[in-house]
Amino acid sequence: YGNANYMDNKTISGFFYRRPVLPTAADQLAAGSARTTLQIDNNGDGLPDPALQSQVDSIVAGGGNPADYLTPDAGSASGYVLRNPIHTLFPGGYNPDFGADITDLGLAVGLRGDLTDTLSWDARVHYGESKAKYKLDGSINPSFGGLSPTSFKPGTLTQEESGLNVDFVKTFASSPLNVAFGGELRNETYKIGAGDVDSYRAGPTAANFGVGSDGFQGFPLESAGSFKSDSYAGYVDVETDLTDRLSGGVAVRYEDYNEFGDTTDGKLSARFEFTDSFAMRATASTGFRTPTPGQVNTLNVTTTANASGQLIPNGTYPVSDPIALALGAVPLKPEQSESYTLGFVWSPSDKTSLTVDYYHINIDDRLTLFNNAIGPAQVAQLIAAGIDPAQANLLKGSNANYFVNGF
């Protein structure tokens, strides 16, 4: 037996409007500040702030033309102001189009049969893949001024899962006993494909206007890679009728993960028939879930709106990233759970049935995304931990998130 599926989807949508640079200070004040990728106006007078002479000198020393990155202005001591010359391409502001080409495929094949009249088997293999290839149009890498492209390929994310399962079921001709047992080999792979260089590299004015493709920053080369998680498992499940009205079961499963160690979990179940039409059922079980390779290794920066409506960078970092470590990240642990259910089944007629179930689940070390708003104190914390001051100051005003075992 087998089955296969394939899906191909292309999607794109607008991604937050960025206000333009307007002709006069009065116009700017009336309409609101321009997007900081286009103009820096820290004193709120509607005009761009002057550029430092040291910045102009740095651009020249690097072989660049300051007019490619800053706007000439005779009123500034350095001869330039912090207005991005690319603003002339967007007189009405810009609204990046963000999307992805998404493909999903899955394949499963198996064989099953009977070894004896009371022993059956089922063996199967499966493979699944989900891939998102991102694209961003109508945006800029503001750190490259008028030299910035306006279309980017920020990279790809791929999730792959494959496995082999073998299951057996043993029955007994003279007994209600039913025994199931089997094993599983499983691989999960998370792949990050780097974006084009212009989607993540920093230009001469990165400290002023920001870095990377605005809206969705490309995956840098250092974050690219293939991250795997391998595991194997075995289980035994026994069920039987204990009396004419009481049935029960017990199951045990052992799993071993290459990154997070092993675990043994179990389940107890019972069902009691008060009458032929009314029964009660209950279960108690334990569970275990490891962090996925994606949760452990994701690194991406996108744009979001804060509580006041301002657009800010929103980054998610691996717990091993120096930025996350400086902010307090620690290695992730698996989630562990206890689950209890109690229910009733009533069948007043052949065509009518009613079930009521209560579920109670306790999860320890639940994985969640922890948010850090980066202000002056956090910038100082990053610098004290050894993060380059220029990089730390670029994060000011952004969110820096990472996964934690939160509660």
Side-chain angles (χ1 to χ4, degrees):
Y1 64 90
N3 62 76
N5 62 78
Y6 177 81
M7 184 275 289
D8 186 2
N9 179 44
K10 300 181 186 299
T11 179
I12 194 161
S13 62
F15 195 31
F16 290 119
Y17 172 68
R18 277 80 166 152
R19 284 197 295 262
V21 172
L22 296 177
T24 69
D27 292 336
Q28 198 73 70
L29 291 172
S33 299
R35 171 73 167 162
T36 56
T37 55
L38 299 178
Q39 180 167 285
I40 303 300
D41 177 18
N42 286 323
N43 61 8
D45 63 356
L47 297 171
D49 296 342
L52 296 176
Q53 184 64 51
S54 58
Q55 184 170 29
V56 175
D57 293 342
S58 177
I59 294 172
V60 173
N65 179 358
D68 288 332
Y69 306 98
L70 303 166
T71 296
D73 188 319
S76 168
S78 67
Y80 294 89
V81 291
L82 297 178
R83 176 178 285 169
N84 194 330
I86 204 170
H87 80 89
T88 57
L89 289 182
F90 304 100
Y94 64 103
N95 190 71
D97 290 323
F98 175 68
D101 296 338
I102 302 171
T103 56
D104 284 286
L105 61 91
L107 175 67
V109 295
L111 294 171
R112 57 189 169 213
D114 298 318
L115 295 176
T116 68
D117 291 341
T118 59
L119 181 60
S120 62
W121 61 274
D122 188 334
R124 59 198 177 276
V125 294
H126 69 271
Y127 173 81
E129 177 186 287
S130 180
K131 183 176 183 179
K133 187 176 182 180
Y134 295 106
K135 54 188 176 182
L136 185 67
D137 297 319
S139 186
I140 60 174
N141 181 334
S143 65
F144 285 95
L147 304 180
S148 171
T150 56
S151 294
F152 303 89
K153 296 178 179 179
T156 60
L157 293 178
T158 306
Q159 174 77 16
E160 297 177 350
E161 296 180 7
S162 59
L164 166 66
N165 296 78
V166 180
D167 300 298
F168 298 88
V169 177
K170 172 67 176 176
T171 59
F172 299 85
S174 59
S175 170
L177 184 65
N178 185 91
V179 179
F181 58 97
E184 178 183 35
L185 297 175
R186 178 182 173 86
N187 170 266
E188 184 177 353
T189 302
Y190 183 74
K191 297 179 179 178
I192 302 175
D196 60 70
V197 173
D198 287 331
S199 70
Y200 61 82
R201 67 172 175 160
T205 55
N208 306 110
F209 301 124
V211 60
S213 45
D214 184 30
F216 190 91
Q217 193 176 113
F219 304 127
L221 191 61
E222 59 267 25
S223 75
S226 180
F227 309 97
K228 297 183 178 182
S229 175
D230 295 307
S231 65
Y232 65 87
Y235 75 93
V236 177
D237 187 340
V238 180
E239 297 179 357
T240 191
D241 292 333
L242 300 173
T243 70
D244 290 342
R245 294 191 177 278
L246 177 63
S247 61
V250 59
V252 178
R253 180 180 176 92
Y254 172 82
E255 295 183 80
D256 188 282
Y257 295 83
N258 64 324
E259 291 186 337
F260 295 98
D262 61 353
T263 180
T264 301
D265 293 290
K267 178 180 179 180
L268 296 173
S269 61
R271 175 187 169 98
F272 185 80
E273 295 185 354
F274 292 92
T275 68
D276 291 342
S277 62
F278 185 77
M280 180 178 70
R281 59 193 180 191
T283 64
S285 63
T286 61
F288 182 90
R289 190 177 81 89
T290 64
T292 68
Q295 290 173 321
V296 175
N297 296 287
T298 290
L299 171 60
N300 76 307
V301 180
T302 184
T303 299
T304 190
N306 63 14
S308 62
Q310 294 176 316
L311 300 184
I312 60 172
N314 188 57
T316 300
Y317 299 88
V319 293
S320 59
D321 188 272
I323 291 173
L325 289 172
L327 294 172
V330 297
L332 297 176
K333 298 183 294 184
E335 295 178 342
Q336 300 193 51
S337 65
E338 295 178 354
S339 176
Y340 305 92
T341 68
L342 179 65
F344 298 92
V345 181
W346 180 41
S347 301
S349 69
D350 292 339
K351 296 183 178 180
T352 306
S353 64
L354 174 68
T355 62
V356 177
D357 289 281
Y358 168 77
Y359 296 87
H360 182 82
I361 303 172
N362 293 321
I363 301 177
D364 293 328
D365 297 321
R366 179 176 291 185
L367 293 164
T368 186
L369 197 61
F370 184 73
N371 176 269
N372 282 283
I374 305 300
Q378 287 73 30
V379 170
Q381 184 178 347
L382 291 168
I383 294 172
I387 303 299
D388 180 75
Q391 182 184 9
N393 279 290
L394 276 176
L395 295 172
K396 187 176 180 181
S398 72
N399 289 332
N401 315 307
Y402 52 83
F403 281 95
V404 297
N405 292 105
F407 50 95

